[in-house]
Amino acid sequence: PVGIVAALIGAFVGAKVILILPVETINYIILAFLPIGLLATLFKGVLLKKEDEREEIKKSVIAVFLTCLIVGFYDGFFGPGTGSIFIIALFVINKLSLLQASATSKIFNFASNIGAFVAFLIAGKMAFLIGIPMILANLLGNHFGSLHAINSNGEVIRKVLVVTVLLIIVSMAYKAFSA
């Protein structure tokens, strides 16, 4: 519950901030931090013990709150890759397996989406004609992706996460440096 509330609040505040600040500066900050998260995921064996040797999952209320508040803020402020960032944060900080982190991230990502949605709705910035079809496609894609992740025992999650984060980095770098 504390993570859900934190993600919702963080995203609401992030969305309010983006409505008043230029995005260019935060793009460079995000571009700098995404590779760090990617490296943390790629080198999990160095950072963490093997799953069967792991200590009990870290359930610190403070760690969950701060993680969800910060990632929620990012989601409201910028958004792309939030699910991947939640997965990385839950995996590295809270020591969940990739499958657990992926599943748990959906709860927090949903809460942060609601927070940002409310802020942008109040500001009158919603594009419903393109947003509603995207919601439907997102639901369908998430359903099949989740089934595949569960059936593959989470093995595909790391590959998809790495490809997704790399594509986000390349896309953001291209936009940042081609202008």
Side-chain angles (χ1 to χ4, degrees):
V2 71
I4 294 169
V5 171
L8 200 145
I9 292 169
F12 183 84
V13 172
K16 293 300 242 179
V17 169
I18 198 166
L19 290 168
I20 59 174
L21 291 178
V23 180
E24 293 81 16
T25 303
I26 198 68
N27 285 351
Y28 291 112
I29 294 169
I30 293 165
L31 193 53
F33 281 107
L34 279 175
I36 295 168
L38 181 61
L39 290 173
T41 303
L42 289 173
F43 296 108
K44 87 169 193 176
V46 174
L47 295 172
L48 301 170
K49 298 175 184 176
K50 291 183 181 170
E51 195 166 328
D52 58 332
E53 297 173 358
R54 285 186 180 187
E55 54 197 66
E56 186 178 329
I57 294 171
K58 186 175 181 181
K59 296 180 181 177
S60 167
V61 173
I62 295 170
V64 170
F65 180 83
L66 290 175
T67 298
C68 291
L69 186 69
I70 292 166
V71 178
F73 180 88
Y74 165 82
D75 191 19
F77 190 90
F78 189 69
T82 299
S84 297
I85 294 169
F86 267 126
I87 292 170
I88 291 167
L90 291 167
F91 176 75
V92 174
I93 297 168
N94 300 96
K95 299 187 180 12
L96 291 153
S97 71
L98 280 173
L99 185 58
Q100 289 173 314
S102 179
T104 305
S105 73
K106 306 309 180 236
I107 300 163
F108 300 140
N109 202 4
F110 181 65
S112 69
N113 286 333
I114 291 170
F117 174 84
V118 170
F120 288 124
L121 182 67
I122 291 169
K125 302 292 183 183
M126 301 302 286
F128 289 103
L129 289 177
I130 61 170
I132 292 171
M134 289 175 71
I135 290 170
L136 299 174
N138 187 293
L139 288 171
L140 190 63
N142 275 302
H143 174 71
F144 289 114
S146 296
L147 288 177
H148 184 51
I150 292 167
N151 291 333
S152 70
N153 201 22
E155 294 170 15
V156 72
I157 295 171
R158 176 185 294 242
K159 295 172 187 164
V160 171
L161 182 64
V162 168
V163 169
T164 302
V165 174
L166 282 173
L167 287 173
I168 292 168
I169 291 169
V170 168
S171 172
M172 289 180 67
Y174 176 77
K175 289 176 184 174
F177 300 115
S178 69

